[in-house]
Amino acid sequence: MPSKNDGVMIILSSPSGAGKTTLVKELSKLENYEISISHTTRKPRSYEHNDEHYFFVNDNDFQRLINNGEFLEYAKVFNNFYGTTRTPVIDKLNKGKHVLFDIDWQGADQIKNKKLDYKLITFFILPPTKEVLFERLSKRHVSEKFIAEERIKQFERDVLHWINYDYVVINDNLESCYSRIKNLIEAEINNGSKDYDEKYIRKHVEKLTI
Ligand code: 5GP
């Protein structure tokens, strides 16, 4: 049963390459914060480990989890399936842990629509400029150029979902972006004042999409 000592759910989404995964990792170092580890049918990258970055599964296993109703949310992203299983998340929240989700806008929508009895705070992370985003993606996918190109094409569609999030933060500098998110989470948890300029963000998105 949910209670006031429960943890909160914190979702970070962004177009690929905006630096969200690094931010989630940094936030998870705070006391009482834990990352929700997703299942995916994507193949692991060279630096990724099973049970740490993802639970890497095949299509049949993923389908079985869907059939058994184990997912809190799942979605197809860039031709692979990604999903969050419900039990580990609820267990963490019930123990008072704040759970960080690095998931896309489809997953964020699904969790929002579930209207669980746990507090939910959603963040959308934007890159400072299109050029910076392109550079980050090209560096990440050096040997898989077509993947970088595919993700860049997806950017203009993904960015439009910013409007459905509680907060949008520009990742111009990792440290200051991290501090802004941390302060907003703390303000939300403690019902303090929140410093967020939606008009400024709207103009920034316009610049990113012309
Ligand atoms: P990547 O393949 O680069 O690790 O992740 C691709 C995208 O899938 C990212 O936007 C990431 O946030 C998203 N993603 C990762 N795990 C999940 C998940 O469990 N559910 C959903 N809906 N998206 C996820």
Side-chain angles (χ1 to χ4, degrees):
M1 276 300 268
S3 81
K4 68 176 176 28
N5 297 322
D6 292 337
V8 305
M9 302 193 287
I10 302 153
I11 296 180
L12 272 80
S13 300
S14 72
S16 189
K20 157 200 53 167
T21 306
T22 314
L23 286 163
V24 167
K25 213 166 157 192
E26 282 307 305
L27 289 163
S28 74
K29 292 179 187 161
L30 294 167
E31 208 188 319
N32 231 24
Y33 284 64
E34 283 192 24
I35 299 178
S36 158
I37 303 174
S38 299
H39 283 70
T40 184
T41 58
R42 167 166 82 59
K43 296 277 166 284
R45 299 186 184 124
S46 56
Y47 55 87
E48 287 178 328
H49 301 290
N50 192 41
D51 295 3
E52 185 188 333
H53 296 93
Y54 282 104
F55 297 110
F56 294 98
V57 293
N58 61 30
D59 287 348
N60 289 341
D61 289 339
F62 200 93
Q63 191 57 49
R64 188 179 45 76
L65 291 166
I66 297 177
N67 296 344
N68 292 346
E70 293 197 35
F71 284 122
L72 186 58
E73 63 76 31
Y74 71 91
K76 194 173 188 189
V77 190
F78 306 120
N79 301 321
N80 288 297
F81 284 99
Y82 295 81
T84 308
T85 46
R86 177 192 299 271
T87 308
V89 171
I90 302 297
D91 284 353
K92 287 184 179 96
L93 292 168
N94 289 346
K95 282 186 194 140
K97 303 274 182 210
H98 304 316
V99 181
L100 295 157
F101 300 82
D102 172 346
I103 62 175
D104 84 328
W105 62 269
Q106 305 173 81
D109 274 359
Q110 289 173 41
I111 292 185
K112 227 162 105 176
N113 291 335
K114 290 246 155 85
K115 298 200 189 325
L116 302 175
D117 283 331
Y118 302 92
K119 188 173 176 66
L120 170 66
I121 316 170
T122 62
F123 291 91
F124 197 74
I125 315 299
L126 290 176
T129 62
K130 246 180 174 175
E131 290 70 27
V132 168
L133 178 83
F134 292 177
E135 200 187 303
R136 283 186 195 156
L137 283 174
S138 309
K139 268 194 204 147
R140 186 193 294 173
H141 302 284
V142 201
S143 58
E144 313 157 298
K145 201 158 180 287
F146 73 98
I147 294 185
E149 281 165 8
E150 186 188 11
R151 293 191 169 201
I152 284 163
K153 272 196 234 140
Q154 187 70 30
F155 169 77
E156 294 212 356
R157 278 171 273 165
D158 285 348
V159 78
L160 302 176
H161 296 279
W162 73 275
I163 198 77
N164 297 325
Y165 285 73
D166 297 324
Y167 300 104
V168 183
V169 182
I170 302 168
N171 186 8
D172 38 10
N173 167 287
L174 194 65
E175 263 172 46
S176 64
C177 184
Y178 165 84
S179 303
R180 262 177 281 152
I181 295 174
K182 182 170 167 278
N183 291 342
L184 285 164
I185 296 172
E186 281 166 1
E188 278 278 354
I189 292 175
N190 304 316
N191 290 320
S193 67
K194 294 144 205 143
D195 173 19
Y196 176 60
D197 184 348
E198 191 176 316
K199 264 195 202 142
Y200 178 78
I201 294 296
R202 192 175 286 279
K203 281 208 187 104
H204 187 74
V205 172
E206 278 167 15
K207 267 191 259 158
L208 286 170
T209 50
I210 37 173

